[in-house]
Amino acid sequence: MLDRLIGASLVEQGMITKSQLVQVYKKQESDRAKLGVIAVSERMMTIAQAEQVNMLQATMDKRFGDIAVEKGYLTETQVQRLLGLQGNTYLTFLQSVVDMGILTMEQLEKVEADYQRANGFTETDMAVLKSGEVDKAVSIFLDNADPVYNGMFAMGLKSMYRLVDSHIYVGRAYTARVINDEVLGYQKFHGDQQAAVAISGKYEDVRKMAIAYTKEEFIETKEDALDAVCELINCINGLYASEQSRNDSKIELEPPNFSVNFAQATSDEMIVMPVYIAGGEIKYIIAVSKDILVG
């Protein structure tokens, strides 16, 4: 997730163009991060140490890890950990930016530190964001200690990551009583837990999400797009209900529904999380123990 968050920050600051970022993400898909970049990012080595090992590699028929161990910069255990991290999306993102000559590692380190400071993230928060485990990132962006909200948002994001877009990222959640959007799909459930879940946004953004979910390129009507979104919501809530049933909590899902004409959702309290997915932005809305009225 951090690769997308930092990428958006770089564009916002004018340090990289949107077209350059697209090329970086394409390169990222096919590359794996080098051990030196990972070691610096994980603060196991300094930039100077990594550069020295890279220079030695040009004259020695040895792997980066072997040279780093010989120089006393890394232990064997650390090398094994770094090898396990090579496929990390954030680290391959950093590598791609550096390889394309857009920014240096020093500049990226400063960007990351500035981003962490500006958002008030802890080292633990940053480690979670770097890991790419979207469900664990929920608590970072959700200022709500209620385990039900945390569990429902985690299930939603985890499912979107798995079923729609593995490059999903989110913004900080907020509380609202009224949401106005172009289109909206929603589902309510009751039983041992009562809640309502909705996805709303601009039609084009919701359509992109529907195409990514269904793998159908020709979704051309609002009804078809919202029908796919409702299917996704039903899938997410079904997974959540199954998870809760293992704790002897019974949930009955109501049929999902949607509005295609500038819907307004109102509730005593809704928590809204901006979700950036499939090239668009949608709102993921949850109200626990509150009803959502759609008009």
Side-chain angles (χ1 to χ4, degrees):
M1 184 181 290
L2 190 58
D3 59 329
R4 261 47 185 180
L5 292 166
I6 293 293
S9 179
L10 289 172
V11 171
E12 187 178 320
Q13 295 177 64
M15 299 180 72
I16 188 172
T17 66
K18 288 184 178 180
S19 60
Q20 283 178 316
L21 186 60
V22 169
Q23 293 305 310
V24 167
Y25 287 148
K26 285 182 179 179
K27 181 173 174 55
Q28 176 194 19
E29 288 298 303
S30 58
D31 288 356
R32 299 177 72 205
K34 295 176 182 176
L35 285 192
V37 171
I38 305 173
V40 171
S41 178
E42 293 295 306
R43 296 178 174 82
M44 293 183 188
M45 294 176 66
T46 66
I47 293 174
Q49 289 172 338
E51 288 178 345
Q52 182 189 21
V53 174
N54 284 331
M55 290 177 61
L56 289 172
Q57 270 195 294
T59 60
M60 301 171 66
D61 185 21
K62 291 185 178 181
R63 294 175 299 179
F64 182 99
D66 295 334
I67 298 172
V69 170
E70 287 180 5
K71 299 291 291 184
Y73 297 150
L74 296 173
T75 65
E76 291 286 357
T77 301
Q78 287 174 319
V79 170
Q80 291 305 311
R81 180 169 179 270
L82 293 174
L83 289 170
L85 290 171
Q86 268 196 313
N88 181 280
T89 56
Y90 179 61
L91 300 173
T92 54
F93 167 76
L94 296 180
Q95 183 68 57
S96 298
V97 174
V98 171
D99 283 352
M100 292 176 67
I102 299 172
L103 295 169
T104 66
M105 193 64 200
E106 288 89 344
Q107 288 173 308
L108 288 170
E109 278 195 311
K110 184 178 184 304
V111 167
E112 181 184 311
D114 290 345
Y115 178 82
Q116 178 180 353
R117 184 167 51 253
N119 288 277
F121 292 151
T122 65
E123 289 295 329
T124 301
D125 293 337
M126 294 298 286
V128 169
L129 294 176
K130 289 178 182 181
S131 75
E133 297 179 86
V134 294
D135 52 326
K136 292 184 179 179
V138 165
S139 60
I140 298 172
F141 295 91
L142 180 63
D143 297 325
N144 190 304
D146 189 327
V148 176
Y149 273 112
N150 275 269
M152 290 183 67
F153 273 111
M155 180 61 74
L157 294 180
K158 182 167 54 176
S159 300
M160 290 182 208
Y161 172 89
R162 186 167 50 85
L163 301 173
V164 184
D165 181 7
S166 62
H167 296 300
I168 185 175
Y169 67 101
V170 302
R172 196 169 294 278
Y174 58 92
T175 301
R177 299 184 70 177
V178 180
I179 293 291
N180 290 291
D181 257 323
E182 190 173 345
V183 295
L184 181 145
Y186 64 98
Q187 184 178 45
K188 302 177 182 181
F189 61 73
H190 58 272
D192 292 335
Q193 291 184 28
Q194 176 187 332
V197 179
I199 290 175
S200 73
K202 296 178 181 178
Y203 166 62
E204 279 305 317
D205 288 343
V206 171
R207 179 175 174 271
K208 290 175 184 176
M209 182 182 186
I211 289 172
Y213 174 55
T214 62
K215 310 300 186 288
E216 296 286 343
E217 291 291 334
F218 301 104
I219 293 181
E220 296 179 348
T221 69
K222 291 183 178 179
E223 287 79 7
D224 286 345
L226 268 295
D227 188 58
V229 166
C230 284
E231 180 184 327
L232 175 61
I233 295 172
N234 187 65
C235 177
I236 293 169
N237 288 337
L239 291 170
Y240 179 74
S242 295
E243 181 182 79
Q244 294 303 303
S245 69
R246 291 192 285 272
N247 299 322
D248 296 324
S249 180
K250 296 181 180 179
I251 293 174
E252 294 286 337
L253 302 183
E254 299 179 15
N257 207 341
F258 58 79
S259 175
V260 296
N261 294 309
F262 292 95
Q264 181 182 80
T266 59
S267 178
D268 290 342
E269 181 182 83
M270 299 176 285
I271 294 184
V272 184
M273 182 172 285
V275 178
Y276 302 87
I277 185 169
E281 176 186 356
I282 58 97
K283 297 182 182 75
Y284 193 52
I285 306 163
I286 298 178
V288 174
S289 300
K290 308 286 184 183
D291 195 13
I292 289 182
L293 303 177
V294 177

